[in-house]
Amino acid sequence: MAMTDLLSAEDIKKAVGAFSAAESFNYKKFFEMVGLKKKSPEDVKKVFHILDKDRSGFIEEEELKFVLKGFTPDGRDLSDKETKALLAAGDKDGDGKIGAD
């Protein structure tokens, strides 16, 4: 399954482009722009599984660094600061990774 099976290619392009500058990534705005906020929990989990490159059932810090590339190959890598902020926002139990729930 490709990201464009779940999200609009145009929305992905706009969202990734909006955060192309270093240190500009805002996960709340990005997820809204890409259309995830309007998706069902099932579709959000499908997106999660696409981003879970090692199929561990979790998205670890190393995978988060490449989250924009998970939406489109043209995406940039997140900085360490951006990656840590995204991890902190999604890691609800403090285990250093983000689960599908």
Side-chain angles (χ1 to χ4, degrees), residues 49-95:
H49 292 297
I50 292 170
L51 297 173
D52 178 18
K53 298 295 184 195
D54 66 2
R55 305 279 185 246
S56 66
F58 298 94
I59 299 177
E60 294 84 11
E61 185 171 348
E62 190 58 34
E63 289 171 311
L64 280 179
K65 184 173 192 146
F66 308 112
V67 73
L68 295 179
K69 287 183 177 170
F71 286 87
T72 179
D74 299 337
R76 69 174 174 88
D77 295 347
L78 296 182
S79 70
D80 288 343
K81 181 180 175 184
E82 291 169 317
T83 302
K84 289 184 185 314
L86 181 55
L87 180 62
D91 182 13
K92 299 301 180 194
D93 62 4
D95 64 357

Side-chain angles (χ1 to χ4, degrees), residues 12 16 19 21-22 27 42 44 46 48 52-53 60 64-65 75 77 79 82 85-86 97-98:
I12 292 170
V16 171
F19 301 103
Y27 64 89
E42 295 79 25
V44 172
K46 288 176 186 174
F48 176 91
D52 178 18
K53 298 295 184 195
E60 294 84 11
L64 280 179
K65 184 173 192 146
D77 295 347
S79 70
E82 291 169 317
L86 181 55
K97 54 192 174 185
I98 299 172

